[in-house]
Amino acid sequence: IENITCVAGNEHMALLDCNGDLVIYSTDLDKYFTPDISHDDRMSVKGLNIQSISCGYNFVMLIDHQNHVYACGDNMYGQLALGEKEEQSKTIPKLSKISFFDDIPIKDVQCGYYHSIFLTHDGRVYVCGNNGYGQLGIDDSKLKKTFTPILNEFLCDITQISCGQNHTMALTSSNELSAFGCNYGGRLGIGNNKKNQFKVQLVSCIPPSPIVSIACGYGHSMIIDSDRSVWSLSLIHISEP
């Protein structure tokens, strides 16, 4: 087996092979996805020439070679970005194309627990799903969730995005790092321990060398710089292991 991409969610795993075909395995597959006829523990997606995949708590997002975005799984908070018409359906077991992005080529999609972040080729960011912790970064604490993607007007010229459980990070082409959402334990690295950040916050204490990669985990955030040093965001500052 060569060139396999593996992404894990809560109780499911998505495997993408070199041909762009996808297989989803889950311990509770028939609750959130559509099992294959001959295999009740997996869901297969063939013929789309999939370029990238991301998994949330119990949902999957993928981008094909034409930059179209598809989704399936749990849609309780609108994280599948399928619009208000799907609001009454908490689960979308079959892969569905997100029509909102038909004329907006998407470069990357990242999934949190119940939220999704979309990066366009021109550096704009769209958000949807749960906003209970501010993880959408739209500076609106009253909006608890959205089923339709919203353009985050506080983010521009973005090159990378990453989602944790309930927080998000974004990196610009000029090496500015932003973070928002749940800040429990100082995981945003913004110098305070305020629980939830609904507005995009600039991470001022960053490595001296340019950042090349960012990653959010369940409740932590990591950075890799051009010197190949790995940094962990904390309450007051960043620390190098």
Side-chain angles (χ1 to χ4, degrees), residues 70-91:
Y70 297 79
C72 64
D74 183 14
N75 194 39
M76 181 181 297
Y77 291 90
Q79 60 265 39
L80 300 188
L82 296 173
E84 298 295 337
K85 68 180 185 302
E86 300 290 349
E87 184 170 355
Q88 301 304 316
S89 179
K90 294 183 178 180
T91 300

Side-chain angles (χ1 to χ4, degrees), residues 7 46 93 95 137 139-140:
V7 181
K46 298 180 180 294
L95 198 66
D139 195 21
D140 186 353

Side-chain angles (χ1 to χ4, degrees), residues 16 27 54 58 63 78 87 92 109 111 121 128 137 143 193 199 208:
L16 178 65
T27 57
S54 184
N58 278 312
I63 303 175
E87 184 170 355
I92 310 297
V109 57
C111 303
H121 281 269
C128 71
L143 181 67
N193 200 27
K199 188 175 182 178

Side-chain angles (χ1 to χ4, degrees), residues 4 8 44 72 77 91 106 120 154 177 239:
I4 293 291
S44 300
C72 64
Y77 291 90
T91 300
I106 297 299
T120 69
F154 300 100
L177 180 63
S239 57

